Amino acid sequence: VKDKAKVNIAIEENEEDFISKFISLIDEFKGKRKRKWEREKDENIKPLFTSELIKGNENDQVAWIKDKIKVGELEDAEEEILNLIIYQDWHSDSEHLCMSLCNIAGGYFEINMIDKADLIAHKAIDLNPNDAVPHCIIAENFRAKGQYEKALNKYEETIYQFKYNVVARNGKAETLRQIGRLEEALTEYDATILQFKDNVVARCGKAETLRQIGRLEEALTEYNAIIHQ
């Protein structure tokens, strides 16, 4: 029991250490507000890979991190996340790092580490508040935790800020359907289809909502339209 307690304490300390370093590096990156065309690159700076198997660019680094997260090798993954930030600090810009962090947040989401995904998505917004993706990730995190009103509020906020983002619109409709507010969900799907008429997610969501309401003929019509789209 004592050994297990020591292991748990060590894990918690490693977690706190990663979070502290992660936030510090992001804040430092954000504070510099560099753009790669505004400064001379240091060609001696190379990717800091923890695996000799990686010989490519930061996209390969992100893929490697997600693979490590998927199999539960979090210490390796998190060391590489810090390396990724250091590398992109020299070779990229805040918009690019935001995209990389969103991909990594998705990896944590897939293994149900919602709080870690949420932390990374929030820091991604700090880097680039004009990217809709991390906002949608945060809304989806609320939904995954069963905090449906917070999810709806975040989706609405995202739709207001990014009027042409279909992911946020579908997310709002799906959340309404999930909590049984079917008529409202149907209205949201219709609004999405009006704006994105060929969006299969919205049209399938509408068909399923019609089926749940009991409007079966309309549901069949919608499904047939999707099949022949």
Side-chain angles (χ1 to χ4, degrees), residues 116-127:
K116 187 66 70 64
D118 207 52
L119 167 68
I120 291 174
H122 274 93
K123 299 311 288 185
I125 290 174
D126 284 351
L127 289 169

Side-chain angles (χ1 to χ4, degrees), residues 7 37 50 80 101 107 164 170 174 177 193 220:
V7 169
W37 54 84
T50 57
E80 201 65 23
L101 292 181
Y164 300 103
N170 279 329
E174 288 166 11
R177 184 162 69 87
I193 292 166
L220 283 172

